[in-house]
Amino acid sequence: MDAFLAKTDPEMAGLIAAETKRRQEGLEMIPSENHTSPAVLEALASILNDKYAEGYPSKRYYGGNTVIDKVEKLAIDRAKKLFGVPHANVQPYSGSPANFAVYLAVCENGDVVMGQNLSDGGHLTHGAKVNASARFFRSVPYHVRQDGYLDMDEVRQLAKEHKPKLIWCGATAYSREIPFEEFGKIADETGAYLVADIAHIAGLVIGGAHKSPAPFVHIITTTTHKTLRGPRGAMIMVTEKGLQKDAELGQKIDKAVFPAGVQGGPHEHQVAAIGVALKEASAPAFKEYAGQIVKNAKALAKELMARGIKIVSDGTDNHLMVLDLTPHGKGLGIFLEEALDMAGITVNKNTVPQESSSPFYPSGVRLGTPAITTRGMKEEEMAQIGEYIAKVFNEIKGCKLPDEKEERIAYLKDSRKKLEENATIKEVRESVRLLCGRYPIP
Ligand code: DSN
C-alpha cells in the first residue's frame, strides 16, 4: 500500500512517514489516543471504503450490499456479545454525532438534560454552553466536589428539582470510577433516561478494569478509538434496562442515526475496522492490557505526586489524570503542554475544576497511559516518565501568563524561544527518544 502512495503522491507519503516517526520517537500520552493494530488499519484502508450502504443490514437503499450486510452484522454481533447488550448501532461516524443521535432519539426541543460540567471533566456534547446540546435543550450541569470526586448529592438534588428527560454519566477528563449504580438509582427515582458515555473507558470496561454500566443505564455510547484501540468511530448500544423502559428504543436510536440525524451513508470500512478491534478486544491479552493501563496510570500518578505535582482528586482509578497547576499560577497548562511537546511527550492542556483561567489558557494538563501501555511499557517506565515530566515542569513553573491578550501572545512567543533552547528539556528529549527506541509502536 505504502509503495503506491509514495509513487502517486510523495508529498503526502512524506508527511505520513514524518508523523509515523514522530509517534515512534515520542510518548503519546493524550489519554484519548492509542496506537491501533496493523489489522485494524488494514480493514480501515480496504475496498469497503468504496461502497454506499444507506440503511441497515437487509434494509438498504442501495444495491450490492450482500457482503456489506455481513460485515456490519458481524461488527454488531461482536459489540452485543462483548458489552452484554441486546442492541448495537455501529454506524456513528464519531462520538459527537453518536451523542447527538441519542438526543434525537429520546428528547424533544427544549427538554431538560443533565451532564457533567465541562471544566469538571464533562464532554462538550453533554450540555456544554458552546455546544448544540445546550442550544436545543435546557442544560443543567452537575459538578465535582472540592476533593475532585463527583458530587452525587448534587446530581440527585438537581435531578429531583429539574426532572431531566436525559442524564449523561461518563466524562472526558475524570480520573475516578463512574458510580453507574448510583446514577441508575437517581434516573429511576426521577424517570430520566440514563446514558453512559464510556468513550474513554470502553476498553477498561471490556477488559474488566472498570465496572460495566450495562445493568444500570438505558443507553451506552462510546467512541472506538480510545482505550478500545480501534479506528475512529463510535457505537450506540441499548441495554436490557433500556428496552424495559422503552421497547422501541433500539429502532428509535437506529432512525436517529439515519435517516433522521446528521449522518448519510455509513462508512463501512470503518465499521469493518470496528469489528476487527472488537475481536482483538475479546482476546485474553486485552484483559491484561486493560489492567496494565490502570496499573501504569496509578504508578505514574504516584510518581508525579511524590515529585510535588498536584493531581485532581489526588490520584486515579482509570487510564488518565489531570495535573492541577493552579498552586503555581493560573493558565500554566499551555506552557507545560508546549514544553512537554518539545521533550517528545504529547499531552493536552485542560481545564481543572473551579478553573480560574479560560479553556484556551487553562490551568491544567491531562495525560494518560493507553498508548504507552500498548507499546509494552510498565510501572518501571512510568517512574522514569514521571521523572521526565517533573523535570520539564520545573522549567516552566516560573512562567506567568499575562492578563492582557497582546501581552500574552508576545510572552508566549518569548517563552517558547527560551524553552526551545533549554538544556534540561533537550536532555529529557534525548532520554525519551532512547526509551521509545526500546518500545516500537505496532
Ligand atoms: N476529544 C476527545 C477527548 O480527547 O477526550 C473527546 O471527544
Side-chain angles (χ1 to χ4, degrees):
M1 196 65 93
D2 291 358
F4 290 107
L5 189 60
K7 238 190 231 163
T8 47
D9 191 342
E11 204 179 352
M12 191 59 82
L15 290 174
I16 294 173
E19 175 63 3
T20 308
K21 185 170 186 296
R22 187 191 73 79
R23 287 180 82 82
Q24 173 58 52
E25 294 183 353
L27 295 166
E28 187 49 72
M29 296 190 70
I30 293 175
S32 46
E33 291 189 20
N34 213 327
H35 303 292
T36 37
S37 72
V40 167
L41 293 179
E42 201 175 318
L44 195 60
S46 70
I47 200 165
L48 305 185
N49 173 70
D50 297 348
K51 190 73 196 93
Y52 254 122
E54 264 105 328
Y56 290 97
S58 310
K59 287 171 278 181
R60 304 284 185 186
Y61 292 85
Y62 285 78
N65 276 306
T66 45
V67 179
I68 294 292
D69 277 2
K70 288 181 189 157
V71 168
E72 191 168 333
K73 189 85 182 36
L74 188 56
I76 289 172
D77 288 345
R78 287 178 180 168
K80 289 196 319 197
K81 189 162 169 217
L82 218 46
F83 286 93
V85 293
H87 185 88
N89 185 310
V90 293
Q91 290 191 4
Y93 298 152
S94 206
S96 298
N99 288 353
F100 200 68
V102 170
Y103 286 115
L104 288 178
V106 302
C107 292
E108 297 298 329
N109 218 345
D111 277 347
V112 176
V113 300
M114 277 176 58
Q116 192 166 330
N117 190 45
L118 193 63
S119 64
D120 292 51
H123 191 253
L124 272 173
T125 57
H126 298 180
K129 237 192 263 159
V130 295
N131 187 260
S133 53
R135 180 163 158 198
F136 299 120
F137 309 103
R138 192 160 77 74
S139 166
V140 177
Y142 56 84
H143 303 83
V144 297
R145 301 182 308 223
Q146 283 296 334
D147 63 4
Y149 283 74
L150 276 169
D151 186 345
M152 295 308 291
D153 292 337
E154 188 202 28
V155 176
R156 175 170 273 106
Q157 178 248 311
L158 290 175
K160 286 197 161 150
E161 185 183 337
H162 296 278
K163 296 272 178 301
K165 186 72 169 286
L166 182 163
I167 301 174
W168 290 99
C169 56
T172 202
Y174 182 69
S175 64
R176 294 300 178 180
E177 182 130 353
I178 309 283
F180 293 126
E181 195 166 352
E182 212 176 334
F183 270 109
K185 284 185 194 145
I186 294 171
D188 292 344
E189 286 163 22
T190 55
Y193 279 99
L194 179 62
V195 191
D197 179 344
I198 60 166
H200 266 264
I201 55 167
L204 304 185
V205 168
I206 288 178
H210 191 294
K211 202 183 272 170
S212 168
F216 312 109
V217 308
H218 304 106
I219 298 169
I220 300 172
T221 65
T222 183
T223 50
T224 47
H225 48 273
K226 298 186 174 92
T227 48
L228 186 49
R229 214 164 53 182
R232 269 162 203 280
M235 306 193 290
I236 307 175
M237 294 169 275
V238 178
T239 64
E240 293 288 357
K241 183 174 173 178
L243 290 186
Q244 275 161 24
K245 183 171 170 68
D246 179 354
E248 309 277 288
L249 198 50
Q251 288 96 302
K252 286 183 186 167
I253 291 288
D254 287 352
K255 249 192 220 160
V257 172
F258 176 87
V262 294
Q263 296 204 174
H267 297 171
E268 294 292 345
H269 56 306
Q270 181 185 44
V271 168
I274 289 174
V276 176
L278 290 170
K279 175 152 192 205
E280 289 180 352
S282 65
F286 196 85
K287 207 175 169 62
E288 224 172 276
Y289 166 61
Q292 191 63 48
I293 291 177
V294 178
K295 282 188 207 158
N296 282 353
K298 283 182 186 289
L300 180 60
K302 195 170 155 211
E303 186 67 33
L304 290 170
M305 289 189 295
R307 290 175 179 276
I309 296 179
K310 186 174 174 218
I311 291 181
V312 174
S313 86
D314 295 325
T316 180
D317 296 330
N318 58 25
H319 62 301
L320 68 74
M321 64 211 73
V322 178
L323 314 189
D324 182 358
L325 313 177
T326 316
H328 306 274
K330 64 177 187 176
L332 288 185
I334 191 165
F335 297 99
L336 186 55
E337 179 193 287
E338 290 189 4
L340 285 172
D341 224 352
M342 290 171 200
I345 302 175
T346 311
V347 302
N348 68 278
K349 61 184 178 185
N350 213 91
T351 49
V352 295
Q354 295 99 41
E355 176 62 64
S356 54
S357 188
S358 69
F360 197 78
Y361 295 106
S363 305
V365 151
R366 184 185 69 152
L367 54 87
T369 55
I372 55 177
T373 307
T374 291
R375 298 173 81 158
M377 295 184 194
K378 296 216 163 104
E379 287 91 328
E380 200 182 313
E381 288 73 38
M382 297 308 119
Q384 255 177 296
I385 294 169
E387 184 190 333
Y388 300 155
I389 293 173
K391 273 190 179 169
V392 173
F393 174 61
N394 281 337
E395 301 305 305
I396 66 102
K397 73 180 181 195
C399 293
K400 296 251 170 308
L401 185 73
D403 288 331
E404 289 304 315
K405 201 173 160 203
E406 285 311 309
E407 256 183 78
R408 271 183 188 179
I409 293 167
Y411 184 88
L412 271 163
K413 202 168 155 200
D414 185 50
S415 72
R416 232 167 253 146
K417 218 161 130 207
K418 284 187 193 140
L419 291 171
E420 264 159 12
E421 281 150 21
N422 183 296
T424 305
I425 293 177
K426 282 189 183 159
E427 187 194 300
V428 173
R429 179 69 192 102
E430 213 28 56
S431 306
V432 167
R433 210 188 305 276
L434 286 174
L435 173 65
C436 290
R438 288 170 31 220
Y439 293 94
I441 58 174

